[in-house]
Amino acid sequence: MTKSVLIERISEKVEGLTRKQTEVIVETIFSSIKDALAKGDKVEIRGFGNFRLRSRKARKARNPKTGDAVEVAPKKVPYFKVGKELREMATKNI
Amino acid sequence: MTKADLADKIYEEVGLSKKEAAGIVELLFNSMKNILSEGESIKITGFGTFLVRKKGSRRGRNPKTGEEIQIEQRRVVTFKPSLQFKSLVEKV
């Protein structure tokens, strides 16, 4: 399933909502989540899950092509923790 | 940031009423929950992929009591951020 199929589904379910409007809405939602994390904020979607940043320590790695040792700087990565409701729904339906 | 803040953003950008905006935020995440629960992954270009993985049954232990328990096979949802998302937050 891709974003466009998801947009299709939602615009079908809401009367009076065009595909174009739904597209803008879905884009707005996902870019707002990205922007919030980029500002260092957390995003909590009750029942679905939380988005926040996790820290990765600096580490030594190797360039797999040349074998040279390289320093990887510490960084932040996006992290999603599945919400209770989604976790339970996913498990139940197996 | 919560669902209410997302609804406000939509209200500002699309011009739906606050109530309609809140309904659509709810609908989006509910649709995603249903799709994932059916075992289907969702790819959002520029954001990332919500993946559904099957985990086999295994024997585990209750970490509190030390009691052995059987963990049944289950589905778990994971999120793999897109490269774009990763580079956006890397230096925060």
Side-chain angles (χ1 to χ4, degrees), chain A residues 35-53:
Chain A
D35 292 346
L37 265 66
K39 281 190 289 179
D41 287 345
K42 275 193 305 195
V43 181
E44 301 185 16
I45 312 292
R46 184 74 46 93
F48 185 76
N50 297 346
F51 296 90
R52 60 182 167 84
L53 295 182

Side-chain angles (χ1 to χ4, degrees), chain A residues 9-21:
Chain A
R9 271 208 191 183
I10 289 166
S11 70
E12 279 166 7
K13 275 190 196 151
V14 184
E15 212 175 314
L17 195 69
T18 67
R19 213 208 117 97
K20 185 72 213 162
Q21 282 174 310

Side-chain angles (χ1 to χ4, degrees), chain B residues 19-69:
Chain B
K19 201 180 163 193
E20 285 172 312
I24 290 168
V25 172
E26 206 63 48
L27 178 62
L28 171 71
F29 289 109
N30 283 338
S31 305
M32 290 178 71
K33 278 192 275 192
N34 290 327
I35 293 161
L36 294 167
S37 304
E38 281 156 22
E40 197 175 349
S41 297
I42 305 173
K43 183 177 179 179
I44 310 289
T45 316
F47 187 78
T49 307
F50 294 90
L51 288 162
V52 184
R53 303 208 334 257
K54 241 186 174 173
K55 296 257 210 171
S57 61
R58 64 182 170 91
R59 271 217 255 188
R61 217 174 259 283
N62 179 333
K64 252 189 204 150
T65 63
E67 189 192 350
E68 253 203 26
I69 44 171

